[in-house]
Amino acid sequence: MSASVMLGSLYPVLADEFGDPVAFINGITIGFFGGVVIVIYELHLFYITKSKFSFLTQLFSKAILYTVTLGFIIIGVISFTRGIETGVGWVSYMVSDSFIMFLFEQDFLVIMIYTMLLLTIVVLTRQISKKMGPGILFNFITGKYYLPKFEERVFLYLDLVNSTSIAEELGSLRYHHFLKEYIADLTTCILNYRGTIYRYVGDQITVSWRVRDNKTDSKPIECFYCAKKNLEERAEKYFDQFNIRPKFRGAVDTGTVLTGEIGIVKSQIIFYGDVLYRNTLIEEKCKADNQELLISEYFINKLDFESPSLKLHGNLKLKAGDNIDLYRWIEG
Amino acid sequence: MSISRIGWIKLKQALVIGLAGAFLGFIYTLGSDGFILFYPHLNGLIGGFIMGFTLTLIEIYLFPKFLKKWRFVPLLSIRVLTYLITLTVIMLLVLNISRSQRMNTDFLTALTSVESIDYMLYEDFKYVEFYAFIIALVFNFIRLFSIKLGYGILADFILGRYAKPKIVNRVFCFINITKAQDILINKTVTFYHQYINDILIDITRPIIENNGFIYEYVDDQVVIYWKSLSGWERNFRSFLSDLKKAINGRKKYYLEKYDHHPDFKFAFHEGEVVQGEIGEIKTEIVFQGDTLNTTARIIEIASSDNVLFSESIYNITKNSLEDNKIKSLGRVYLKGKEDPINIYSFAQD
């Protein structure tokens, strides 16, 4: 999003070479409106597309759509400012000879080519960034985790109930389609609560948040219930399509992890830490105790608010002989 | 080895980007100078290639050293500055060498000639600079993206070969680094991470040179796969021996640094899986299916230095391996599976 707006304002730099102030103003205005329009498109039209189109198809169709839109904006802005310049009204300028000449013989074509080139690049970068995961491309470029770092993170671990029997019932291909829908529905919530998807292991998703100032907040819990609500709202759709009513369990915990990049021809950002292991144990306890979400005391202790909805649930024995308290959240 | 263990992969990347640069340089000169003269195109091709090649090498070798010390904003400025300076220098060099040839003078005269100054101040120079800069940035993104996806996957991904899920046949191999947990317990987790990373770097080349692809890493395990079954017996044999050679060649390094010499167990299986993309943001190419699960179960029953494989793998490899090296473990029950399956082990020497 910010990339589009930034590039929108890069336009004046290009317009620069025409060397006159009016063109400069044109450039900034076009850049601004263009940026706004692209942002609107990206946020509303293309937000989460359960796309069946290939990377290339998406790239080209978006680039063309944006170019055409920007073409209209350019025509609009330039004729407007030139209309003011020449003292003629806006509409009259548009049908004037000099404008027609501008369109077909002069710079317009060059401007459009520039536009298309830049837009393709913007779209390409955004596509790549989206595919890699928000922030990941950024981290790779800046080499944030090139040297492993210790960080405190909250992990939300989501596990689909009865995944093995669902897989058997649906068969491989349909199960894949189902997983894709399921994960897409979860992703909307994850995005809303600004979580970062760490990895998918089959039907299990791990989402993480950075802990700042040693305080955790309610986002992981809200994210969980948002996802639950999402699935409930779409229950009919799942039932119609797959004959399944998907449900999932979650575990929330926090801890220090080592974050690093691993691999040279296939790079992953990888977390090492006890918290990841604890999460799986907590989730198993969910299963054993028939709970949908259990939260570890480490997370609760760092919460920046108190809530009557958090109730102590019980105790979990860890490998080293330690015990941790687990909490559950009462809805409503 | 004349080229360092990962040097050859990086060199390949640089060459590819260099060629792409040459192509794009040519496109530019096509657009700006038309077909009349020959030398602009030569300039475009050569200039493009050198730019692409050099910048990639700089990205791969030089920047990682800086990444350790600098924060984002200075780093970005350094990057931008380096790109601009490198591109400008290369352009000036290429253009003026070619100019000095045409004008039949030496380089310095060409550089300071009226034609040269004119070009830089009034003509295309700034457009070429801008164009080259943007292209260089984009290529770098693409290169990073390709690394994220994994070697050899980018082309298929862009063409959308993974977009529609389909059933494919793959040979999977789980490689488990035995006793890695010991390092985790006895030393720091940073040390453990370095250990795993070092091992991964060392085994990458044997994998790739034998037509394997890396699927994912989970803890101390690497999952790799092959796409094609034809001739796979040869890959199997040479992959195992190449890997052994690569690791043994670094024995001294591992013992000195980690007090540990890496040891592996392997499990091979083949079969059908669903291949597709999962995730709307953070898209990953995934394989799903029983084949993967089975292979995971097989590695669980392997012990140190074991190479285990299933019946289907046995059928492919039995004719190319010496009989005395293959041992049948009989019908084994795997966790979560009702029926036992035939497992075989291969004795590496």
Side-chain angles (χ1 to χ4, degrees):
Chain A
M1 190 196 331
S2 35
S4 326
V5 181
M6 226 169 64
L7 248 142
S9 21
L10 241 187
Y11 232 80
V13 180
L14 307 176
D16 198 341
E17 65 237 9
F18 295 115
D20 86 84
V22 179
F24 198 72
I25 295 177
N26 279 341
I28 298 182
T29 322
I30 292 172
F32 179 74
F33 281 122
V36 168
V37 167
I38 291 181
V39 167
I40 294 178
Y41 271 142
E42 285 285 323
L43 283 186
H44 291 276
L45 232 50
F46 297 124
Y47 198 41
I48 298 281
T49 50
K50 297 176 192 175
S51 57
K52 304 200 172 41
F53 302 115
S54 78
F55 189 82
L56 264 185
T57 320
Q58 279 187 56
L59 179 66
F60 281 136
S61 46
K62 275 193 194 179
I64 291 177
L65 176 64
Y66 291 160
T67 310
V68 169
T69 312
L70 226 59
F72 284 119
I73 295 180
I74 292 175
I75 294 179
V77 173
I78 291 190
S79 55
F80 185 72
T81 50
R82 294 229 180 134
I84 296 182
E85 250 191 306
T86 56
V88 179
W90 185 7
V91 183
S92 345
Y93 178 74
M94 278 194 24
V95 302
S96 74
D97 286 333
S98 48
F99 189 63
I100 307 282
M101 213 169 65
F102 162 73
L103 275 187
F104 294 111
E105 286 174 41
Q106 288 177 345
D107 300 329
F108 186 65
L109 200 58
V110 178
I111 294 180
M112 285 312 288
I113 294 181
Y114 257 148
T115 313
M116 190 146 110
L117 188 66
L118 275 172
L119 282 174
T120 312
I121 290 171
V122 171
V123 175
L124 178 68
T125 313
R126 232 186 98 58
Q127 291 261 97
I128 290 181
S129 182
K130 229 171 146 205
K131 293 280 182 187
M132 288 176 80
I136 305 280
L137 180 63
F138 191 75
N139 286 337
F140 267 114
I141 293 179
T142 57
K144 183 167 185 196
Y145 297 116
Y146 184 74
L147 277 189
K149 288 188 172 56
F150 283 103
E151 287 180 336
E152 173 118 21
R153 280 182 173 265
V154 176
F155 287 92
L156 168 66
Y157 175 69
L158 297 167
D159 189 14
L160 179 69
V161 172
N162 279 334
S163 54
T164 341
S165 35
I166 296 180
E168 274 174 14
E169 214 183 287
L170 291 179
S172 307
L173 267 180
R174 275 184 81 208
Y175 180 60
H176 178 92
H177 280 295
F178 163 72
L179 261 193
K180 215 167 159 163
E181 288 281 318
Y182 166 71
I183 287 181
D185 282 337
L186 294 186
T187 303
T188 325
C189 289
I190 294 170
L191 270 183
N192 282 340
Y193 290 96
R194 307 193 158 276
T196 309
I197 297 183
Y198 171 35
R199 63 181 174 197
Y200 314 105
V201 185
D203 59 283
Q204 302 156 359
I205 309 185
T206 309
V207 187
S208 82
W209 284 261
R210 278 287 296 278
V211 172
R212 301 198 186 274
D213 299 326
N214 211 24
K215 290 222 161 294
T216 54
D217 58 29
S218 57
K219 287 212 274 289
I221 304 177
E222 290 180 67
C223 178
F224 176 86
Y225 283 103
C226 162
K228 179 181 170 198
K229 197 165 130 222
N230 235 5
L231 279 190
E232 278 168 5
E233 281 170 5
R234 301 197 188 173
E236 285 316 308
K237 172 194 85 174
Y238 278 103
F239 196 68
D240 287 337
Q241 240 187 313
F242 304 104
N243 218 11
I244 304 275
R245 294 192 196 278
K247 283 174 64 152
F248 57 88
R249 284 185 286 260
V252 175
D253 197 355
T254 181
T256 313
V257 284
L258 181 69
T259 313
E261 283 176 21
I262 202 159
I264 46 161
V265 296
K266 176 164 167 60
S267 235
Q268 279 172 218
I269 288 183
I270 197 162
F271 296 123
Y272 302 90
D274 282 340
V275 53
L276 288 160
Y277 180 63
R278 278 203 309 264
N279 254 355
T280 44
L281 289 180
I282 295 177
E283 194 267 332
E284 278 172 23
K285 184 115 172 90
C286 276
K287 191 168 171 180
D289 291 359
N290 205 17
Q291 290 293 317
E292 59 182 1
L293 175 69
L294 283 178
I295 306 163
S296 102
E297 65 171 80
Y298 294 127
F299 177 83
I300 301 288
N301 290 341
K302 298 201 179 175
L303 265 185
D304 57 3
F305 64 89
E306 300 249 327
S307 173
S309 309
L310 283 169
K311 291 267 185 299
L312 179 62
H313 170 78
N315 207 259
L316 177 68
K317 224 182 162 87
L318 298 175
K319 207 159 77 166
D322 297 327
N323 279 329
I324 58 168
D325 287 332
L326 295 179
Y327 291 76
R328 63 175 189 274
W329 177 270
I330 317 290
E331 267 181 295
Chain B
M1 270 196 286
S2 52
I3 308 179
S4 79
R5 54 196 178 116
I6 47 176
W8 70 283
I9 297 180
K10 314 239 164 172
L11 205 66
K12 232 171 144 181
Q13 280 182 12
L15 276 171
V16 168
I17 294 192
L19 284 172
F23 179 68
L24 285 168
F26 184 66
I27 300 259
Y28 181 85
T29 51
L30 260 185
S32 69
D33 293 300
F35 288 103
I36 311 171
L37 301 159
F38 176 67
Y39 74 86
H41 302 303
L42 197 61
N43 286 342
L45 279 168
I46 296 180
F49 178 79
I50 299 180
M51 283 185 202
F53 189 75
T54 317
L55 276 176
T56 311
L57 285 182
I58 290 181
E59 273 290 337
I60 293 175
Y61 285 109
L62 212 58
F63 281 141
K65 297 193 175 31
F66 288 125
L67 289 179
K68 301 183 189 184
K69 298 176 195 134
W70 303 60
R71 310 207 41 147
F72 175 59
V73 171
L75 190 64
L76 188 65
S77 342
I78 298 261
R79 239 202 185 98
V80 168
L81 217 64
T82 314
Y83 273 45
L84 285 174
I85 294 177
T86 315
L87 292 175
T88 314
V89 166
I90 294 177
M91 253 218 296
L92 288 177
L93 273 173
V94 172
L95 289 177
N96 287 302
I97 288 180
S98 116
R99 186 169 285 135
S100 66
Q101 294 289 328
R102 272 185 299 121
M103 289 165 63
N104 237 328
T105 61
D106 65 281
F107 178 73
L108 267 162
T109 321
L111 180 64
T112 50
S113 73
V114 175
E115 184 188 305
S116 164
I117 307 282
D118 259 359
Y119 180 75
M120 288 198 283
L121 289 180
Y122 302 121
E123 291 185 41
D124 279 3
F125 185 72
K126 44 187 184 296
Y127 299 147
V128 176
E129 186 91 6
F130 182 72
Y131 176 75
F133 180 69
I134 298 279
I135 303 267
L137 275 183
V138 173
F139 274 174
N140 199 36
F141 281 161
I142 297 181
R143 190 182 62 87
L144 287 170
F145 187 45
S146 173
I147 291 178
K148 158 59 161 77
L149 281 179
Y151 184 79
I153 301 202
L154 183 67
D156 285 341
F157 182 78
I158 291 186
L159 290 173
R161 295 232 176 98
Y162 300 111
K164 203 162 175 292
K166 55 185 189 217
I167 299 192
V168 294
N169 253 83
R170 295 280 181 267
V171 179
F172 287 100
C173 173
F174 276 56
I175 306 176
N176 181 292
I177 306 169
T178 60
K179 300 197 225 109
Q181 296 293 323
D182 290 349
I183 296 205
L184 189 58
I185 296 173
N186 296 326
K187 310 227 173 162
T188 64
V189 66
T190 317
F191 211 57
Y192 174 72
H193 168 77
Q194 279 175 6
Y195 181 63
I196 305 272
N197 218 7
D198 266 333
I199 293 178
L200 283 173
I201 293 178
D202 282 333
I203 68 175
T204 295
R205 189 169 175 174
I207 294 173
I208 298 203
E209 275 183 340
N210 290 293
N211 298 317
F213 292 83
I214 298 182
Y215 177 42
E216 61 181 7
Y217 318 105
V218 185
D219 298 329
D220 50 3
Q221 219 153 253
V222 188
V223 183
I224 65 179
Y225 64 92
W226 280 263
K227 285 190 188 174
S228 160
L229 278 172
S230 72
W232 187 78
E233 330 76 80
R234 277 171 276 130
N235 285 330
F236 172 70
R237 203 60 196 280
S238 76
F239 163 65
L240 286 174
S241 75
D242 283 348
L243 195 147
K244 202 162 190 133
K245 251 187 273 173
I247 292 289
N248 284 342
R250 302 256 292 154
K251 199 170 186 151
K252 193 156 161 260
Y253 169 78
Y254 281 103
L255 283 174
E256 270 174 20
K257 187 165 182 191
Y258 302 102
D259 221 10
H260 241 93
H261 184 55
D263 223 355
F264 306 95
K265 14 183 208 173
F266 303 84
F268 291 85
H269 183 43
E270 71 86 36
E272 284 183 347
V273 281
V274 175
Q275 167 193 279
E277 287 174 12
I278 286 268
E280 296 304 317
I281 57 163
K282 187 171 175 64
T283 310
E284 298 205 347
I285 296 169
V286 289
F287 292 118
Q288 271 148 4
D290 196 56
T291 312
L292 264 178
N293 296 335
T294 308
T295 324
R297 300 284 165 259
I298 298 179
I299 193 111
E300 278 171 17
I301 63 171
S303 53
S304 244
D305 213 23
N306 243 197
V307 178
L308 295 187
F309 47 84
S310 64
E311 180 97 44
S312 36
I313 300 284
Y314 171 69
N315 289 332
I316 302 172
T317 56
K318 65 184 173 197
N319 292 325
S320 62
L321 300 174
E322 303 91 318
D323 283 336
N324 60 346
K325 294 238 168 82
I326 306 186
K327 203 171 69 167
S328 162
L329 270 65
R331 296 178 70 76
V332 181
Y333 279 94
L334 298 173
K335 181 177 118 179
K337 294 207 168 296
E338 276 182 30
D339 304 316
I341 65 173
N342 278 326
I343 306 278
Y344 299 81
S345 96
F346 172 65
Q348 273 189 281
D349 31 38

